[in-house]
Amino acid sequence: MGLTLTEKILKAHMVDGEFKKGSEIGIRIDQTLTQDATGTMAYLEFEAMGIPRVRTEKSVAYIDHNTLQSGFENADDHRFIGSVAKKHGIYFSRPGNGICHQVHLERFGIPGKTLIGSDSHTPTGGGLGMIAIGAGGLDVAVAMGGGAYYITCPKIVKVHLTGKLSPWVAAKDVILEVLKRLSVKGGVGKVIEYCGEGVKTLSVPERATITNMGAELGATTSIFPSDEVTLEFLKAQKREADWTPLSADSDAVYDEIVEIDLASVEPAAACPHSPDNVKPLSEIGNMKIDQVCIGSCTNSSLLDMLKVAYILKGKTVHPDVSLSIAPGSKQVLNMLAQNGALGILIDAGARILESACGPCIGMGQSPNSKGISLRTFNRNFEGRSGTKDGQIYLVSPEVAAISALTGVLTDPRTLGDMPKFELPKEFVINDNMVVPPASEEEAKSVEILRGPNIKPFPKTAPLLDKIECKCSLKVGDNITTDHIMPAGAKILPLRSNIPAISKFCFTVCDEQFPERAEKLGQSIIVGGANYGQGSSREHAALAPLHLGVKAVLVKSFARIHRSNLINAGILPLTFANENDYDKINEGDDLVIENLTESVKSGKDIILKNKTQNAEIVCKCDLTDRTKAIILAGGLLSYTKENI
Ligand code: MIC
Ligand code: SF4
């Protein structure tokens, strides 16, 4: 029986476990990446492990999220990360060099390698044929120290692509189609592998758009083969030596098959407030818009920008629309400047932003009240833009650009013939904003620069045998990490300060939560299905930890958030019977006894609701490794014990 591409790479990297669907496997990690909003914590954790030098083939620290410096905090964090990188053997991509995923694709990703990153959109690397996975900062810290990364051995979905995209229909429309079919929960526990004749028609940046937004399916990752198109891209980046051809065997067996004829894909938009709320433009109609934002790790490649420039050439942005454009990397921005496209964008009235995440993470460009904003990004969760009642639609750069001119949502196919857009034979290469680490000898004298906003990792304690506390919060389905630990320009500077950031925990859902939880001292949170979807931010576990949350009981979890809870030593429980969700309300008095024994034996855990006089059976599916982590009070304590 042949192998899928995913199986080939995973098997070649296995260091622990048995390759059996659904069981836990440990894989060796070749490369890591961090960004600044999660990086400070990851490096504090790495320091706490006491390992002097990273043990990966390549680790890169990027500064791209917290680039709005409205106080000392972000700049201090950048300096801290820069100094840690220098000392511990990590490459440092300075602010201005671009968005981590775009730069990593251009300059560092290698087909067939494994990459984990403290950002949920790390699967962008799948566009180059990598197994690239988003993870919590602590998992990345462990991988930097040479430790394995653990995942559930995934089911593998084949997305069989045939045909060719019609003019003005984009890779973004393909991933929107996949999201429409599979939903934001549809990829949990799965790797999405793209195959078929249609693959050849997509360039590496287009493939990367698709694997990037595969994160919104809840998938472990997504991957494309490494073929001639990959070679062309790497050649143009002067990295052909990094190329290896990779594909699935023709008789590989998949768990699920999705067929997509690229020729039948239509321009679409993900409507508020979920990336899977996808409708064809024809169904939404000529909606009047207020804002257009082009950029983010999903759609900020040179090819995307060249298409936008072609559409905007010689025209002016509609008077009722604000258009912002953030090219994804210094390489992209530089090439736009050199070939004149930047002048076209400026001429048309675009507000050019630095190469960074910017509006995607609510760092500026929040829309007006009830404003309708078309964005080429990957997430449109409520409030994420910084405007609570903002209406965010996720679209391709083509849709964004033409609509910016007309002032209404517009189908780009009305542009008529499309010229051939091709990647350059050679990209402009200048890695002068990537600082290499100091040599082992020099590293000894490198001083770590710590600002006053950088507070240590919160204290953890071994698992309690009895939890007796109240339910401090009850929430519904599809709670995102943007609900649990909101981002935005005001809160992001506190990412290195857990006590301070905790004051904003869950405030999107309930303003009083942080104060209430802190007063209670200990508590349990109750939620619905797909709890914790979205970001890899471990702050969504560390803030509840700081506020005394001992367990989270839900219908189901999103993958990265569940791992982050375990890593923080918070018990992740699920209802054995989902209807029991109705048997708990906020404020109820709850008791769980004999926890140590139940966790060790893997038996069901009984939660008594004293207020409602009910017994609720809870599941806590843990492997031997995750049991040990929970018992130790989190991954940091566990790693220290096991080093
Ligand atoms: C996001 O897109 O939500 C982020 C901001 O990039 C996060 C990381 C973070 O919260 O710092 C992610 O995707 O993991
Ligand atoms: Fe940055 Fe947005 Fe990409 Fe997250 S999704 S890495 S915030 S550009």
Side-chain angles (χ1 to χ4, degrees):
M1 196 172 76
L3 294 177
T4 64
L5 176 52
T6 309
E7 285 163 342
K8 288 184 188 179
I9 303 178
L10 287 180
K11 284 191 168 172
H13 285 83
M14 268 212 19
V15 289
D16 198 6
E18 197 192 334
F19 202 89
K20 214 171 77 205
K21 306 248 147 120
S23 68
E24 193 177 58
I25 54 169
I27 54 171
R28 187 182 72 249
I29 296 302
D30 302 320
Q31 299 190 339
T32 63
L33 71 79
T34 56
Q35 40 91 336
D36 47 336
T38 54
T40 325
M41 241 343 122
Y43 293 116
L44 288 171
E45 290 152 354
F46 181 74
E47 282 187 310
M49 285 169 10
I51 296 168
R53 237 24 216 180
V54 293
R55 295 177 181 155
T56 47
E57 290 174 15
K58 181 144 279 166
S59 287
V60 190
Y62 292 91
I63 306 293
D64 55 0
H65 281 61
N66 291 354
T67 56
L68 196 70
Q69 291 155 230
S70 51
F72 64 92
E73 294 89 347
N74 291 342
D76 278 7
D77 287 358
H78 300 167
R79 276 160 48 98
F80 167 72
I81 294 174
S83 63
V84 168
K86 198 164 192 179
K87 194 170 184 78
H88 296 293
I90 300 153
Y91 287 77
F92 179 60
S93 172
R94 296 169 59 187
N97 197 44
I99 306 175
C100 54
H101 308 304
Q102 176 66 27
V103 178
H104 209 84
L105 194 78
E106 292 167 355
R107 306 301 307 142
F108 298 109
I110 299 179
K113 298 278 180 190
T114 52
L115 162 73
I116 66 166
S118 61
D119 191 280
S120 65
H121 291 105
T122 304
T124 313
L128 272 178
M130 306 185 85
I131 285 287
I133 308 178
L138 197 41
D139 285 317
V140 177
V142 169
M144 286 192 289
Y149 177 59
Y150 286 83
I151 53 168
T152 306
C153 186
K155 288 193 176 154
I156 303 167
V157 181
K158 170 179 181 171
V159 179
H160 187 242
L161 301 177
T162 51
K164 190 173 182 301
L165 289 172
S166 313
W168 303 115
V169 182
K172 182 63 155 279
D173 300 310
V174 178
I175 185 62
L176 290 176
E177 175 65 29
V178 179
L179 271 154
K180 184 177 170 182
R181 295 202 203 174
L182 301 185
S183 92
V184 289
K185 304 192 279 250
V188 177
K190 302 174 188 170
V191 172
I192 317 291
E193 197 171 304
Y194 291 84
C195 318
E197 282 300 292
V199 163
K200 280 200 256 164
T201 67
L202 299 169
S203 66
V204 167
E206 288 173 305
R207 296 174 184 186
T209 293
I210 294 172
T211 58
N212 170 286
M213 208 172 167
E216 274 49 70
L217 297 163
T220 305
T221 190
S222 305
I223 188 167
F224 273 84
S226 166
D227 56 10
E228 293 298 314
V229 176
T230 322
L231 175 61
E232 283 309 300
F233 176 80
L234 288 172
K235 252 192 202 156
Q237 293 284 357
K238 293 211 175 58
R239 299 206 290 125
E240 58 265 44
D242 288 340
W243 184 69
T244 2
L246 290 168
S247 60
D249 293 332
S250 55
D251 55 348
V253 179
Y254 291 86
D255 297 284
E256 250 173 79
I257 297 180
V258 175
E259 296 279 349
I260 297 184
D261 173 10
L262 293 173
S264 70
V265 175
E266 280 196 51
C271 303
H273 297 286
S274 182
D276 63 357
N277 187 12
V278 174
K279 295 189 180 136
L281 298 190
S282 49
E283 194 180 321
I284 309 168
N286 289 345
M287 170 182 71
K288 196 168 165 358
I289 60 168
D290 302 292
Q291 187 192 48
V292 174
C293 299
I294 298 177
S296 93
C297 56
T298 321
N299 276 121
S300 59
S301 68
L302 181 68
L303 215 56
D304 285 333
M305 296 295 151
L306 291 177
K307 288 180 186 166
V308 170
Y310 175 86
I311 297 170
L312 296 183
K313 189 168 184 185
K315 314 256 171 43
T316 302
V317 173
H318 189 276
D320 297 340
V321 176
S322 161
L323 167 67
S324 72
I325 301 182
S329 67
K330 169 169 163 280
Q331 181 181 75
V332 174
L333 184 54
N334 207 355
M335 290 185 74
L336 294 175
Q338 291 187 15
N339 68 22
L342 183 61
I344 297 174
L345 304 179
I346 296 171
D347 234 13
R351 302 165 66 180
I352 307 296
L353 307 179
E354 71 174 313
S355 294
C357 300
C360 179
I361 185 60
M363 277 281 183
Q365 304 295 321
S366 300
N368 52 291
S369 300
K370 298 202 174 82
I372 295 188
S373 178
L374 301 188
R375 300 180 162 209
T376 65
F377 309 167
N378 47 36
R379 289 190 173 142
N380 58 348
F381 302 144
E382 195 173 1
R384 180 174 161 106
S385 67
T387 301
K388 197 148 195 298
D389 55 10
Q391 305 292 309
I392 313 299
Y393 290 76
L394 306 173
V395 297
S396 69
E398 292 84 336
V399 173
I402 175 83
S403 306
L405 297 176
T406 58
V408 292
L409 181 68
T410 305
D411 189 328
R413 290 174 299 186
T414 53
L415 285 160
D417 291 344
M418 185 180 86
K420 205 166 172 5
F421 293 100
E422 276 182 15
L423 282 180
K425 289 278 167 274
E426 264 180 39
F427 286 95
V428 172
I429 292 159
N430 182 353
D431 292 326
N432 62 344
M433 291 297 275
V434 179
V435 186
S439 68
E440 261 177 75
E441 202 37 49
E442 284 162 5
K444 291 183 189 137
S445 56
V446 172
E447 190 198 337
I448 302 295
L449 307 170
R450 252 174 263 274
N453 183 46
I454 300 178
K455 299 280 184 273
F457 188 82
K459 282 218 163 37
T460 54
L463 182 75
L464 298 170
D465 195 47
K466 179 174 177 184
I467 301 177
E468 184 157 19
C469 62
K470 281 192 188 294
C471 166
S472 53
L473 185 73
K474 184 175 178 183
V475 286
D477 288 346
N478 290 323
I479 286 295
T480 72
T481 47
D482 280 292
H483 290 109
I484 307 173
M485 199 57 264
K490 190 168 125 200
I491 305 175
L492 275 168
L494 304 174
R495 281 289 181 94
S496 321
N497 185 340
I498 300 297
I501 206 168
S502 298
K503 297 196 172 13
F504 298 92
C505 184
F506 265 119
T507 46
V508 179
C509 305
D510 181 345
E511 292 270 351
Q512 310 308 320
F513 172 75
E515 213 188 308
R516 184 168 66 242
E518 200 152 27
K519 263 201 197 133
L520 288 172
Q522 290 189 0
S523 68
I524 293 178
I525 292 176
V526 173
N530 199 25
Y531 178 90
Q533 67 162 325
S535 157
S536 69
R537 60 190 73 148
E538 57 190 338
H539 304 76
L542 298 179
L545 173 72
H546 175 80
L547 296 172
V549 174
K550 297 289 166 205
V552 177
L553 169 59
V554 298
K555 292 183 184 168
S556 64
F557 285 103
R559 179 187 67 89
I560 308 179
H561 184 61
R562 182 175 187 271
S563 303
N564 284 340
L565 288 173
I566 295 173
N567 290 352
I570 298 178
L571 205 59
L573 302 174
T574 50
F575 291 101
N577 173 357
E578 289 194 357
N579 296 333
D580 285 351
Y581 173 82
D582 298 328
K583 290 192 190 154
I584 309 190
N585 285 324
E586 195 185 301
D588 284 358
D589 286 304
L590 313 173
V591 194
I592 311 177
E593 282 172 312
N594 300 327
L595 251 182
T596 323
E597 177 46 32
S598 311
V599 165
K600 277 189 186 156
S601 65
K603 276 197 258 149
D604 287 347
I605 293 174
I606 308 297
L607 178 144
K608 289 193 191 119
N609 186 340
K610 291 202 288 190
T611 312
Q612 308 217 17
N613 203 11
E615 270 198 6
I616 294 166
V617 183
C618 309
K619 299 258 168 219
C620 185
D621 290 330
L622 296 169
T623 61
D624 288 344
R625 188 187 69 93
T626 46
K627 273 178 197 169
I629 294 175
I630 281 287
L631 291 168
L635 183 56
L636 201 54
S637 320
Y638 169 84
T639 309
K640 279 191 201 153
E641 282 171 17
N642 287 279
I643 241 165

